[in-house]
Amino acid sequence: MKKLSSKILTFSLIAIALAGFQSCSEDAMPGEGEKLTQAELQTILNTDEIAGAADTALADLFAGNTAKTATAKDGECYSAEYTETGFVATFNNCLLNGTDNANGTVTVTYEVGEEESSFTATYQDFYVGNIKINGTRTYEISAGSQENSVSFTVESDMTIEMEDESIISENGTKTFGITFGDDLESTVFSLSGNWTVETEGNTYSVQTLEDLQGNATCEYLTTGSMTISKNGLAVTVDFGNGECDDVATIIYPNGATEEITL
């Protein structure tokens, strides 16, 4: 139940939701080797945060230049060459997320339909700051049947090399949704998905059990739950029953629970 991001296209909702994870003392709590630490959760979620630095720029290029003609465009810090099926964008010290410069080339292919659009970004030695990204991210954007909602699904198959040369890989799918209501309180954000992160010999699997949701008037996630499994040992994170508060509940396999303030 951490803060919702107003820039949902950065695909960092989960990082914001769980980055404040911390432990507390309770009876029957698992031993240290049986728990997920704050540092581990930050590692799990870093992939989306890092790759998301380029997502907004790619979305802007995709949205503004889907005409099927070969064109070229130069931005303040990038150049893009367009074809009938996509574009190749080269970034030169672009400040994308307020802190890190992006450098390198991304190849994007896209398909545009009446109700759904999708594009696939292929990174090859693409740098965000001193962090290197390789692999693909596919984005599918669709409008809801009631015309008051939109959703986008991100499928990742990528590796990230950190500044200390450690490697993080991520595979899986996340779906983000926005349903627009008559007012801010009835405008709902949601996240669901199933993805796996591997690093330093450990495998972490994340699966949403109930869609994580919040509304535009509350800075916290208010409902939903997910499981996070470390090498097969799973814990459940429960974000609540709809109240706007900063409390989440961690449920361990032995039934022990801990209520945390984020």
Side-chain angles (χ1 to χ4, degrees):
M1 297 168 65
K2 193 67 170 162
K3 293 183 178 179
L4 283 169
S5 172
S6 62
K7 297 180 179 178
I8 197 166
L9 277 175
T10 62
F11 308 114
S12 60
L13 184 60
I14 287 300
I16 294 172
L18 291 178
F21 180 92
Q22 52 187 296
S23 62
C24 61
S25 176
E26 292 197 19
D27 294 338
M29 291 297 293
E32 287 301 315
E34 300 173 331
K35 295 181 64 174
L36 288 173
T37 67
Q38 180 179 0
E40 286 177 313
L41 282 174
Q42 289 174 339
T43 298
I44 293 168
L45 303 169
N46 266 348
T47 53
D48 221 44
E49 183 177 0
I50 295 164
D55 288 344
T56 300
L58 293 180
D60 289 343
L61 290 170
F62 167 75
N65 297 277
T66 54
K68 293 191 175 183
T69 57
T71 61
K73 179 178 179 180
D74 291 321
E76 293 182 358
C77 60
Y78 71 87
S79 62
E81 185 72 28
Y82 292 87
T83 69
E84 293 184 354
T85 58
F87 58 86
V88 178
T90 300
F91 294 84
N92 182 19
N93 285 325
C94 287
L95 191 64
L96 297 180
N97 62 358
T99 58
D100 295 315
N101 288 336
N103 289 277
T105 299
V106 182
T107 301
V108 175
T109 57
Y110 51 67
E111 296 182 5
V112 179
E114 293 183 1
E115 296 182 356
E116 294 184 352
S117 299
S118 65
F119 63 95
T120 298
T122 301
Y123 299 89
Q124 185 171 5
D125 293 343
F126 187 88
Y127 284 85
V128 177
N130 294 319
I131 298 170
K132 183 168 66 175
I133 302 172
N134 280 287
T136 62
R137 281 164 71 84
T138 298
Y139 314 81
E140 183 174 303
I141 305 167
S142 60
S145 59
Q146 302 300 317
E147 297 185 353
N148 67 337
S149 63
V150 63
S151 67
F152 41 93
T153 298
V154 184
E155 183 174 349
S156 297
D157 182 4
M158 59 189 301
T159 61
I160 291 176
E161 183 176 337
M162 305 299 289
E163 188 172 2
D164 63 2
E165 298 185 352
S166 61
I167 303 295
I168 303 170
S169 66
E170 179 183 276
N171 286 273
T173 303
K174 304 171 188 176
T175 298
F176 299 85
I178 306 174
T179 301
F180 300 96
D182 295 331
D183 51 32
L184 290 178
E185 187 173 1
S186 59
T187 296
V188 176
F189 302 89
S190 66
L191 169 69
S192 60
N194 189 342
W195 64 97
T196 300
V197 174
E198 296 183 10
T199 183
E200 296 183 353
N202 292 314
T203 299
Y204 304 89
S205 297
V206 182
Q207 181 178 7
T208 54
L209 302 176
E210 299 175 340
D211 288 4
L212 310 185
Q213 294 186 349
N215 63 64
T217 63
C218 182
E219 61 182 351
Y220 305 104
L221 286 169
T222 57
T223 61
S225 61
M226 59 164 49
T227 60
I228 301 177
S229 176
K230 173 187 176 182
N231 301 331
L233 176 68
V235 300
T236 299
V237 183
D238 188 337
F239 290 98
N241 58 7
E243 295 183 9
C244 182
D245 57 35
D246 62 349
V247 178
T249 301
I250 308 298
I251 305 169
Y252 289 93
N254 64 358
T257 63
E258 59 176 329
E259 193 172 84
I260 58 172
T261 301
L262 301 174

